[in-house]
Amino acid sequence: MCTHTSCRRRRAQELPRLGGRLAEYAREHSEAAAAQRRHPNVIVWFGESTGSFWVASSTGLAEVPDTAPLNRLLAPDPVHA
């Protein structure tokens, strides 16, 4: 299966919704939920329309394209940890 963003969007149109979410993005929603559990002081979600992960914290709103920058964003700052 093709992983291009446009191919995934076309596929998603044909798939059912699971709890209001498109089945095509189940993995991303699971990753966002796992990040949310690890970091209860922020709100983490996957935006199906943008294809990005979002983090809302006391410092503002951040959008990241995938889990690598998401993990870096959520990693504790060693200077302030």
Side-chain angles (χ1 to χ4, degrees):
M1 293 177 77
C2 183
T3 59
H4 288 103
T5 302
S6 59
C7 295
R8 292 188 76 196
R9 282 198 178 117
R10 276 194 300 277
R11 245 191 336 268
Q13 293 174 352
E14 305 298 322
L15 295 173
R17 288 195 175 267
L18 304 171
R21 298 175 177 161
L22 291 170
E24 176 68 24
Y25 303 111
R27 179 180 51 84
E28 287 88 348
H29 287 296
S30 293
E31 291 169 345
Q36 176 71 64
R37 284 189 298 275
R38 289 190 305 271
H39 303 279
N41 56 326
V42 298
I43 299 170
V44 181
W45 72 94
F46 178 75
E48 292 178 355
S49 295
T50 61
S52 303
F53 290 91
W54 292 84
V55 177
S57 70
S58 61
T59 60
L61 184 63
E63 177 184 14
V64 294
D66 57 49
T67 55
L70 176 65
N71 292 332
R72 283 194 301 273
L73 178 67
L74 295 174
D77 182 355
V79 174
H80 298 101

